[in-house]
Amino acid sequence: SGRPCAPRAMGPRAGALVSPGFALLVSLTAHCSHPQAEGTSQGGLDASRADLWVSANTSLLQDFWCQPASQLSRDQLAALIRRMAAQRVLLRAWQLSCLANLAARRGLQADFELQPPDLLLFYDLTQVKQADCRAFIRRAAQGDPELLANLPDQRAALQRRALACLGGPRPGLSASNLLLLGVLVCDMDVSSLVAADPHVLQNLRLCTRLTAAQQAALNSLLAGGRTVLGPPGSWDLEGLQALGPLATYIGPGLWVQVQEAVGLDFFGSIVAACRAGQLSQRDARRFVTSFLEAQATLVSPRPKRHTGSPCIPGAITAATLHEDLFLVRYDCTQLESCLDGRVLRTSLHPLLQQPLPAECQQAVKAKLTQVYPGGLPEDQLRLIPSLAYLYSRAEIGQWHITSKDTVVALLSPDGALENQTEAVLQTFLDHNGSVTGALLVAIGGSRLCWMSPQQLQAIRPSEFRLAGALDVSSCPQSRKNVLYAKAREAFGSARTTAAYYRFMRPYLGGAPVEELQHLAQANVSMDIDTFTNLNPRVLQSLSVGNVTTLLGENVGDLRKARSHPTISSWLRSLNQSALGELGLGKSTTGPASPAPSTAGTPSTAAWTPHLALTPDPPGSDAPSSGSPPAPLGYLPLAVALPSGLLWLLFRGPHVAQLGPLTGHLHRDFQGQHRPSTTSGKAGAGRRSWTPAPGPGNLAVSHILVPTGPAPVHTRFQRQEPD
């Protein structure tokens, strides 16, 4: 779903460079410039024509950006949101928050039944009618509350509203109530979970992860025998498999009560699912560790588990490593004594596909050191991302890394931790490697957080531009400052403030106060997610007026994030009068008073760089607040045009003459918006569209093009040689 439609022909070269997003903007421009020509009233299209309009312009769905959407009629916006719901388009939190504000201003919140559940999470809950309360919560409960990570007050309000719909404040979690609450149960207190109807297991399956207290509550529920599984002694394979990943949280105390054959069958199914990529190594490893701990407490060892007894070297063969019960039959201490070096060299991949507990990972590392005393060869390095965290910087320095594919493998989500990133990249650079835009996209923005300033400075601006907008919100403040300066070097030649902002938005966490004041004057209407990612020390220097104009139409979102550390710190510096100006006085029960709209069309004034950096005190490397990584399950949609071609449009014929951040810039672009992508923790990432300037020689006033980074599989993607 959400695939771009084929662009209409636009001249002899249309098939070569015209993206669906570009074709869309020409269509949108024509509509906005000549509304009567399409037979519409001055107020906009009727609903049926709006649906047809969205069907003809599906690029709006793939890369959503709020500013161009603000130019749509009410009917067009309603049709766009309905189509997003029908095609299950996944947007990021920063897109959803501003879209919710836009929809609310157009009076579309009442149409929640036809809107994406994720969008409902961001609505002003005080505006939900009591008659619609249960239906609204049922729909919103199909969304992902993790999107509200930077809006703690909104998440708390959502829970309060849900409980109020049930007759709160502490209603019983009956089967019918659980059906209504869906994933919102994941935020309920533990005592409510323990006393809930046994069907609560279906709700807990929806949770991204369980806290330690929730894990204890789950095990208490299962031990009581009230669930559909019955008491642990009566569990069967089908019942356990029905739990899905929830079963990986079952503790050793329950596994010892499960029938031996059932436990072993389930163990084999978990390992098989992990090796097939159907279950994460993390979840499978949690289960294996718990299950084997239960095995160790049994008086009689289960099938032929050697529990540390000596064995003949070579007893573990290549075929043995493919067995689903391998980790039951051999404990971790036997990997060194029973695993022959030749088998390890030729069968490292199937061994590491097993969800090895930490002790076994240490044993494999020790065995590899014996087999390769001079360091692992590069073909083996690509197989050990799950072990990379065990290696010191000195050990990594002995590796021979010449290919970016090796770097990508080692820095995968299951790969090196933060303190290994710099060492892996340095080893690659020492072997004549270079950090390209394609490599930056492949390893993700979070890896930039752990590169040294010297490594960041070595990245050419052209490669940074090809990588486009990378999510660096999880970086410590000192790195955000460095990344901001580097992004300014890459994107500071933008023709307009609006275009500059679209590129720089992910990097503004390192921006100085002068930059934020300039952006406020340009009416960019910063989203609340980006705002919470700003340097808290810099934010202290902004006045209420600065913040009001910087957030523009999104200023009301301050209430939803009032408890966020960055915003809370700033609010504490204000007096009661200033809080009243923001609608954040003593009373917090009502909606925030909206400030006068200052957004409108983004400024197209020529951009004058301000490169001042605000230094941070020693010890400021602790991770700062900001957007968390995108959940792994969120897969990015296709990008209409890669950022490499975007830059050609951005700079026109002078792309080869990329100069310093100086000079007067042309005013030949009416600030509109183009698609943008940020990589995540996920990330897996959620998507948007952002504005970008068009080339001066095109006879259109509004051009929509994507900001990148383009997915690696995009046919336009620049490929770097190894």
Side-chain angles (χ1 to χ4, degrees):
S1 65
R3 295 181 63 84
C5 60
R8 299 182 196 138
M10 296 177 59
R13 300 198 54 179
L17 289 177
V18 176
S19 71
F22 181 87
L24 160 66
L25 246 295
V26 175
S27 171
L28 178 57
T29 303
H31 167 73
C32 294
S33 302
H34 308 284
Q36 300 303 323
E38 297 200 20
T40 62
S41 67
Q42 191 65 35
L45 302 174
D46 58 45
S48 60
R49 288 183 60 82
D51 285 333
L52 291 174
W53 181 84
V54 171
S55 297
N57 296 290
T58 55
S59 294
L60 277 169
L61 303 175
Q62 282 126 37
D63 293 285
F64 177 80
W65 183 264
C66 266
Q67 281 289 356
S70 69
Q71 310 302 316
L72 302 179
S73 71
R74 183 183 187 278
D75 288 336
Q76 287 174 329
L77 183 64
L80 178 65
I81 294 175
R82 288 196 302 270
R83 186 62 60 90
M84 286 178 174
Q87 297 191 4
R88 301 178 182 272
V89 176
L90 295 177
L91 300 181
R92 296 179 186 270
W94 68 269
Q95 299 165 293
L96 289 162
S97 62
C98 61
L99 177 59
N101 291 333
L102 183 58
R105 284 194 299 274
R106 300 295 182 86
L108 298 177
Q109 186 166 321
D111 300 331
F112 62 85
E113 290 281 17
L114 299 176
Q115 296 178 358
D118 286 344
L119 182 61
L120 273 57
L121 302 174
F122 291 82
Y123 276 146
D124 181 355
L125 302 175
T126 64
Q127 302 303 310
V128 178
K129 298 178 181 178
Q130 186 59 36
D132 295 333
C133 186
R134 293 179 69 90
F136 182 90
I137 291 299
R138 181 183 291 107
R139 180 71 173 168
Q142 299 171 38
D144 177 15
E146 296 301 312
L147 289 164
L148 299 175
N150 282 339
L151 302 176
D153 298 85
Q154 178 71 1
R155 187 160 182 168
L158 185 65
Q159 184 185 31
R160 290 195 302 270
R161 187 63 168 159
L163 294 176
C165 289
L166 301 179
R170 296 179 62 87
L173 297 183
S174 63
S176 59
N177 286 347
L178 290 170
L179 189 63
L180 175 78
L181 291 171
V183 72
L184 301 183
V185 167
C186 300
D187 283 349
M188 298 295 173
D189 62 88
V190 172
S191 60
S192 297
L193 297 180
V194 173
D197 182 274
H199 287 89
V200 73
L201 294 182
Q202 298 302 317
N203 298 73
L204 293 177
R205 285 188 59 184
L206 304 174
C207 301
T208 303
R209 56 188 173 275
L210 298 185
T211 65
Q214 289 172 330
Q215 293 177 44
L218 169 66
N219 279 271
S220 176
L221 277 169
L222 294 173
R226 294 192 304 116
T227 70
V228 67
L229 275 73
S234 67
W235 291 355
D236 57 25
L237 178 62
E238 291 73 22
L240 287 169
Q241 289 177 331
L243 287 178
L246 203 60
T248 66
Y249 291 101
I250 297 175
L254 294 184
W255 285 123
V256 297
Q257 302 177 46
V258 177
Q259 296 179 45
E260 179 177 332
V262 172
L264 292 175
D265 285 347
F266 186 65
F267 187 100
S269 69
I270 286 286
V271 172
C274 177
R275 292 167 60 191
Q278 299 167 354
L279 184 68
S280 72
Q281 278 265 347
R282 181 190 61 186
D283 288 343
R285 192 175 296 121
R286 179 174 56 241
F287 160 74
V288 166
T289 301
S290 177
F291 188 90
L292 294 181
E293 182 181 335
Q295 292 272 304
T297 64
L298 296 175
V299 176
S300 58
R302 290 193 175 174
K304 299 181 183 179
R305 182 169 172 78
H306 297 284
T307 61
S309 60
C311 68
I312 301 172
I316 299 178
T317 66
T320 307
L321 297 177
H322 286 86
E323 293 177 2
D324 293 336
L325 296 181
F326 166 72
L327 292 173
V328 174
R329 302 189 186 282
Y330 294 90
D331 63 35
C332 299
T333 61
Q334 293 174 312
L335 284 175
E336 289 191 64
S337 59
C338 304
L339 182 60
D340 181 75
R342 180 183 55 82
V343 174
L344 180 62
R345 281 193 296 269
T346 59
S347 302
L348 182 59
H349 180 60
L351 172 60
L352 295 182
Q353 280 189 310
Q354 296 276 353
L356 300 174
E359 182 186 354
C360 290
Q361 290 181 327
Q362 290 279 7
V364 173
K365 182 199 171 188
K367 192 71 176 180
L368 286 170
T369 302
Q370 295 174 15
V371 175
Y372 301 108
L376 276 70
E378 187 159 16
D379 62 334
Q380 297 288 63
L381 287 177
R382 297 178 189 179
L383 304 178
I384 67 161
S386 60
L387 301 184
Y389 77 100
L390 298 173
Y391 287 85
S392 68
R393 293 170 63 96
E395 290 173 316
I396 293 172
Q398 297 176 355
W399 292 349
H400 192 76
I401 304 177
T402 62
S403 168
K404 65 177 176 59
D405 292 335
T406 306
V407 176
V408 172
L410 289 169
L411 300 184
S412 67
D414 282 334
L417 299 182
E418 291 83 357
N419 58 346
Q420 277 81 23
T421 299
E422 181 182 344
V424 168
L425 285 170
Q426 191 59 52
T427 303
F428 175 58
L429 295 173
D430 290 343
H431 288 85
N432 298 319
S434 63
V435 179
T436 65
L439 180 58
L440 290 174
V441 172
I443 65 177
S446 63
R447 292 296 180 188
L448 288 169
C449 304
W450 308 109
M451 294 173 65
S452 70
Q454 294 75 19
Q455 290 173 338
L456 288 172
Q457 290 301 330
I459 303 174
R460 295 189 300 272
S462 58
E463 301 298 343
F464 222 85
R465 287 191 289 269
L466 286 171
L470 299 171
D471 185 0
V472 298
S473 58
S474 61
C475 292
Q477 188 61 54
S478 63
R479 284 299 186 274
K480 287 182 181 179
N481 293 345
V482 175
L483 285 165
Y484 163 78
K486 191 65 184 180
R488 285 300 306 268
E489 182 182 0
F491 303 119
S493 296
R495 294 180 178 180
T496 68
T497 306
Y500 170 85
Y501 176 72
R502 295 159 210 152
F503 283 107
M504 288 293 294
R505 187 195 60 79
Y507 306 102
L508 292 176
V513 64
E514 295 85 359
E515 171 118 331
L516 298 179
Q517 289 170 339
H518 274 271
L519 291 174
Q521 295 169 8
N523 298 331
V524 297
S525 284
M526 180 178 287
D527 61 274
I528 194 68
D529 248 42
T530 301
F531 186 78
T532 58
N533 190 42
L534 298 177
N535 185 339
R537 293 181 64 248
V538 171
L539 188 56
Q540 294 295 325
S541 301
L542 293 179
S543 67
V544 170
N546 291 151
V547 169
T548 299
T549 54
L550 183 63
L551 291 173
E553 297 175 347
N554 300 315
V555 69
D557 287 341
L558 284 172
R559 178 178 300 279
K560 300 175 184 177
R562 183 170 184 164
S563 299
H564 189 284
T566 297
I567 295 179
S568 176
S569 175
W570 177 68
L571 292 177
R572 284 197 300 271
S573 69
L574 304 180
N575 58 34
Q576 198 62 37
S577 174
L579 291 173
E581 288 182 47
L582 295 169
L584 294 172
K586 292 182 179 180
S587 172
T588 61
T589 56
S593 303
S597 174
T598 60
T601 302
S603 167
T604 58
W607 176 251
T608 303
H610 295 268
L611 293 177
L613 286 175
T614 302
D616 284 279
S620 63
D621 277 353
S624 63
S625 57
S627 303
L632 295 177
Y634 301 146
L635 301 178
L637 299 170
V639 177
L641 190 66
S643 54
L645 291 181
L646 167 62
W647 193 249
L648 293 176
L649 292 177
F650 202 69
R651 296 285 295 168
H654 307 294
V655 68
Q657 304 174 8
L658 298 175
L661 311 179
T662 57
H664 297 284
L665 301 170
H666 301 292
R667 300 191 182 193
D668 58 354
F669 170 66
Q670 298 292 328
Q672 293 297 320
H673 301 257
R674 63 101 168 83
S676 146
T677 314
T678 40
S679 117
K681 294 154 218 175
R686 292 190 172 250
R687 311 250 326 146
S688 68
W689 31 292
T690 31
N697 62 348
L698 290 178
V700 292
S701 59
H702 308 292
I703 294 181
L704 236 178
V705 291
T707 63
V712 175
H713 61 267
T714 304
R715 64 173 179 156
F716 295 109
Q717 177 68 43
R718 170 176 164 178
Q719 297 295 329
E720 297 293 333
D722 290 344

